[in-house]
Amino acid sequence: MRTERLQRFFPFLAWFPVTAAILRADVIAGITGALVLVPKAMAYAQLSGLPVHFGLYVAFVPAILGALWGSSRQLATGPVAIISLMTAAALTPLAAPFSDQYIELALLLTLMVGVIQFALGALKLGAIVNFVSHPVILGFMNAAAIIIALSQLDMLLGIPKGRSGSFLGDIWEMLSYLPQAHLPTLAMSAFALALMLIFKRVPALSKLNVLIAVALTIVVSALSGYERLERVGAAQIADGETRERVLRYIDTKERIKAHEARAVEQVAQLRKLAGGEPRAMAALRHELHLSELDAADLALENKERWGRLLRVAFERTVPASGGAATLHLSGQRPAGSASDGHAWRIKKIVGGEIHLSGGGDVVGQIPQGLPALRVPQLGLDAFLSLLSAALVIALVGFMESVAMAKALAAKTRQRLDPNQELIGQGVANLGGAFFQSYPACGSFTGSAINLQAGAQTGLAMIFNGLFVVATLLVLTPLLYHLPKATLGVIILMAVTSLVTPAALRHTWRASRADGLVAATTFVVTLVAAPHLDRGILIGAALAVLIYLYQTMRPRLAELGRHPDGALRDVNAHAGLATCPEVLVLRFDAGLYFANAAFFEEQVLEAVARKPATRILLLAGAGINRMDSAGEEVVRHLVERLRGGGIDVRFSGLKKQVLDVMHRTGLDRLIGQEHLFASDDAALVAIYAALGRSGRGELLPAAGAAAGEAA
């Protein structure tokens, strides 16, 4: 008993005792998975809008915590493409990618996701994910895969991409600059793609194809001088308009800092005045609000200015006598001047210094060492801005995790506890939030590798995490020249399996309603990008509305006797035997507040269409529940029809429906002699009351076998 209680709080204790054979299998699986994970983790961090080393942080702390507190022994927790994209979608409208504010928001988002997942698991509310139906997830995954692929075009082509409120608008604008594609970047993308496809076809190297491509592109990048960086001043820009734009950008950036510093001072003053004179506090709050508005307006102005600067291409000329180089707009170099042969673009502006890039983007310097403890900064405005995204990421992350965990459990025959898995994912994100991680979830690729490599327990993910630690401590200098184009190709290869048009067609064929939900989710997710949560929220709401509509207007079938002896729907089968005096109706749904009025209306219409009816039999086998509204409608129907000279009887009612009738006294109003266990028993009694056999009408003809109602 004590052991079971300990395992409830520390589920990893169930792994022990660990034999030498299990330990060996877990070590091999952990190292194999890490070799594939390290480059993908950096690629997914790039997708999330964070520096690449944050992907390694996610592959470290959350991976280990998810294994320790989850219920699946093979599930690999870590960075994944969908969650990385959703993280970027949630944060990009609030802060510039790679900025300190962006990182702070990412940690807060991870904390919120962890709290939501842990709370749902602790309260055993894992079933809440069922409100997000399979068609919604299917439509979302297909749209997200396309968005992920399109989001890497700037990395693959070397064309700067703007960031506005419309992802598709940004892509369309970027494609208008296609003639300005950076050829070395395009060549590196093609080279990396070719390497991955070639080595994937070699059985012995197929699992390591990504790692091999990473190693070879690093070597080529370092030897060819793929990255070219220069630093210049604004005075070296020949074009007056561009130079003025740069100077305004620098000046506006300083003004933003001044407003933000003033806002910090005003917040400190408010704390000192807490509980003081109300008028002074109100005035200070007003000043603080104005400071924040001024900073926001300037930031929006600079964002538009920066988008224009990113798209400017320069040619650099160096005077023969030496001295400072001059930057001319591409195509505007003075006749007779010598160019250095490279196209230069602004990479970033730090202080008054312009950082130029004349080659392809590389990962660059990666901080060496383990992630330091960093407490997420909780602010009310940021919390409210991220709440809907955190909820959606928590649910999508768990659904992806539990789907993979179920597939693993089916093959390993291990017991899976979805609520414990939800707790495990919550603990992983809670812990990761304090060690500079963005949201993590179960990885399909990593979990599949764990299974194929023979992982027996979650120790495989611990060894996986230790390999990532070794990378952070020792190997990061070797990754400096890794082209970001290679990371873009890795992401592109990873998401191809998420585009499943065949599954969308299958859903449409199976159910037009589900097909409509999937298609709506797909379109909304694409159009609303980068606000991906809207696609899932609208899709889930539509699915619930369609379900409610369907349950509000279920089928009420008039039954007749089929030659095979079964009672069937007269509208679905022509020529069924009926009786002018007896009307048999079957209701195919639970009877509750949403459809009670519809039920009453349909019953009265059916009776009106058959004016000779003396007895109404309600075949209740399809009614699986009844609430107070349903009970009230049945009571009124019985009283009304009996007042009109029509006797009402019931057959095949389930226990839960009979219990409601018994508690409210409805069974006494109907009369126990009018409640029958089966349809045929009810019809035998009805025809006995009518004084005839009923054979050839609603009772089976002599010798016919009675089947079940359809």
Side-chain angles (χ1 to χ4, degrees):
M1 184 63 130
R2 185 178 178 183
T3 302
E4 290 180 2
R5 187 176 300 172
L6 281 174
Q7 288 183 5
R8 181 180 174 186
F9 293 99
F10 306 103
F12 54 87
L13 294 177
W15 303 345
F16 300 95
V18 177
T19 65
I22 291 176
L23 187 63
R24 184 167 54 251
D26 286 345
V27 169
I28 293 171
I31 294 175
T32 303
L35 290 173
V36 176
L37 174 63
V38 167
K40 285 194 172 183
M42 292 190 292
Y44 293 149
Q46 173 179 289
L47 178 61
S48 71
L50 290 160
V52 294
H53 58 276
F54 278 80
L56 298 176
Y57 294 167
V58 179
F60 170 35
V61 174
I64 293 175
L65 293 178
L68 289 172
W69 270 273
S71 69
S72 173
R73 298 189 179 188
Q74 284 80 29
L75 184 68
T77 300
V80 297
I82 293 292
I83 301 302
S84 299
L85 176 66
M86 295 181 72
T87 299
L91 303 181
T92 300
L94 305 177
F98 306 105
S99 67
D100 290 339
Q101 185 185 4
Y102 191 94
I103 293 171
E104 286 293 348
L105 289 171
L107 301 186
L108 175 59
L109 178 64
T110 309
L111 180 66
M112 293 171 65
V113 169
V115 169
I116 292 169
Q117 291 179 329
F118 185 85
L120 290 176
L123 296 173
K124 300 189 182 300
L125 296 176
I128 197 171
V129 298
N130 294 331
F131 282 99
V132 184
S133 64
H134 173 69
V136 173
I137 293 300
L138 184 62
F140 174 77
M141 288 291 189
N142 277 270
I146 293 173
I147 293 170
I148 290 171
L150 292 175
S151 71
Q152 296 306 298
L153 286 180
D154 56 332
M155 293 296 175
L156 299 174
L157 302 175
I159 303 174
K161 182 179 68 178
R163 294 182 182 272
S164 68
S166 171
F167 174 80
L168 293 181
D170 291 339
I171 294 296
W172 182 256
E173 184 181 5
M174 185 191 71
L175 291 178
S176 68
Y177 291 90
L178 199 57
Q180 298 180 21
H182 187 240
L183 296 181
T185 300
L186 185 57
M188 185 63 75
S189 301
F191 178 57
L193 179 61
L195 288 174
M196 291 181 201
L197 293 176
I198 289 170
F199 286 107
K200 193 173 184 179
R201 293 178 177 272
V202 180
L205 301 174
S206 61
K207 290 182 181 178
L208 301 177
N209 67 322
V210 171
L211 188 65
I212 294 170
V214 165
L216 291 178
T217 53
I218 288 175
V219 171
V220 171
S221 172
L223 294 179
S224 65
Y226 178 70
E227 180 197 31
R228 292 183 181 85
L229 296 176
E230 291 287 347
R231 299 183 182 186
V232 300
Q236 293 173 249
I237 299 175
D239 181 69
E241 184 180 347
T242 305
R243 183 172 60 252
E244 181 64 22
R245 186 172 289 128
V246 169
L247 291 173
R248 285 188 179 181
Y249 177 84
I250 295 170
D251 178 64
T252 304
K253 203 169 183 182
E254 292 302 317
R255 290 166 62 193
I256 292 170
K257 287 181 181 178
H259 283 298
E260 289 175 343
R262 189 180 301 117
V264 170
E265 291 176 5
Q266 290 163 342
V267 169
Q269 291 174 21
L270 271 174
R271 288 174 181 166
K272 290 179 182 178
L273 288 176
E277 207 276 317
R279 188 183 297 274
M281 292 188 66
L284 194 54
R285 286 196 189 96
H286 179 67
E287 291 177 12
L288 172 61
H289 184 59
L290 290 178
S291 297
E292 291 173 340
L293 285 177
D294 288 339
D297 288 342
L298 290 172
L300 188 62
E301 177 186 322
N302 243 13
K303 184 178 181 181
E304 188 273 338
R305 190 175 287 130
W306 179 246
R308 293 190 177 206
L309 290 174
L310 280 176
R311 288 167 173 76
V312 176
F314 296 101
E315 293 182 69
R316 192 174 67 155
T317 60
V318 181
S321 58
T326 304
L327 295 171
H328 300 275
L329 295 183
S330 182
Q332 295 184 15
R333 177 168 52 89
S337 60
S339 169
D340 63 2
H342 302 297
W344 297 89
R345 286 193 176 91
I346 297 175
K347 188 175 181 68
K348 59 183 176 180
I349 299 176
V350 181
E353 195 174 53
I354 304 169
H355 292 223
L356 296 176
S357 173
D361 282 340
V362 298
V363 167
Q365 190 66 44
I366 299 175
Q368 202 165 358
L370 300 181
L373 178 65
R374 183 169 176 175
V375 179
Q377 299 300 309
L378 181 62
L380 181 60
D381 290 342
F383 174 81
L384 295 176
S385 298
L386 293 173
L387 185 57
S388 65
L391 181 60
V392 171
I393 290 174
L395 295 179
V396 172
F398 173 60
M399 281 187 287
E400 188 163 345
S401 301
V402 82
M404 189 64 205
K406 285 181 178 179
L408 295 170
K411 294 183 178 180
T412 61
R413 298 185 179 180
Q414 292 174 356
R415 179 179 171 273
L416 178 68
D417 182 351
N419 287 309
Q420 185 62 48
E421 201 57 60
L422 195 50
I423 290 174
Q425 294 299 307
V427 170
N429 283 306
L430 278 172
F434 291 92
F435 288 94
Q436 303 186 52
S437 299
Y438 69 87
C441 78
S443 164
F444 281 88
T445 303
S447 303
I449 290 173
N450 264 351
L451 185 67
Q452 293 168 5
Q456 299 296 309
T457 71
L459 286 171
M461 286 309 298
I462 294 177
F463 290 121
N464 190 305
L466 293 177
F467 186 92
V468 173
V469 168
T471 301
L472 287 166
L473 292 176
V474 180
L475 302 179
T476 51
L478 302 178
L479 300 172
Y480 180 95
H481 290 285
L482 173 60
K484 288 189 176 181
T486 302
L487 299 181
V489 173
I490 292 172
I491 293 172
L492 202 63
M493 295 283 288
V495 299
T496 51
S497 61
L498 296 178
V499 181
T500 54
L504 289 171
R505 288 195 299 270
H506 178 80
T507 301
W508 177 260
R509 293 190 187 112
S511 168
R512 292 292 187 266
D514 285 349
L516 176 62
V517 169
T520 301
T521 305
F522 176 83
V523 172
V524 172
T525 303
L526 271 180
V527 173
H531 305 286
L532 301 186
D533 53 327
R534 295 177 185 174
I536 283 192
L537 292 174
I538 290 175
L542 179 62
V544 171
L545 288 175
I546 289 176
Y547 169 76
L548 289 175
Y549 178 78
Q550 290 173 337
T551 60
M552 285 172 63
R553 302 180 65 84
R555 186 173 67 152
L556 182 75
E558 180 185 350
L559 304 182
R561 186 66 67 174
H562 194 274
D564 65 4
L567 288 171
R568 301 188 184 277
D569 186 352
V570 297
N571 293 318
H573 302 273
L576 298 187
T578 58
C579 176
E581 299 167 287
V582 181
L583 175 62
V584 182
L585 299 178
R586 186 186 66 218
F587 191 63
D588 293 332
L591 189 54
Y592 73 116
F593 69 92
N595 61 23
F598 177 79
F599 169 76
E600 181 179 28
E601 176 186 327
Q602 293 296 298
V603 169
L604 293 176
E605 284 185 7
V607 172
R609 288 194 301 267
K610 207 168 182 180
T613 300
R614 292 174 54 191
I615 299 176
L616 169 65
L617 173 62
L618 286 168
I623 304 175
N624 51 28
R625 68 187 180 98
M626 183 168 67
D627 67 1
S628 59
E631 189 273 347
E632 190 71 16
V633 162
V634 171
R635 181 183 295 273
H636 289 165
L637 270 176
V638 171
E639 292 173 345
R640 181 173 179 176
L641 291 174
R642 282 182 178 173
I646 299 175
D647 194 11
V648 183
R649 307 190 182 198
F650 295 82
S651 63
L653 293 174
K654 292 182 168 61
K655 181 180 182 299
Q656 58 266 35
V657 177
L658 290 171
D659 288 344
V660 173
M661 289 182 169
H662 180 69
R663 289 195 298 269
T664 61
L666 178 58
D667 58 345
R668 292 186 290 278
L669 173 67
I670 296 171
Q672 290 292 337
E673 69 279 6
H674 288 171
L675 297 174
F676 299 91
S678 68
D679 300 337
D680 284 345
L683 289 170
V684 168
I686 287 170
Y687 278 106
L690 292 175
R692 60 176 188 269
S693 70
R695 298 294 176 183
E697 294 182 314
L698 287 172
L699 282 176
E708 294 184 359

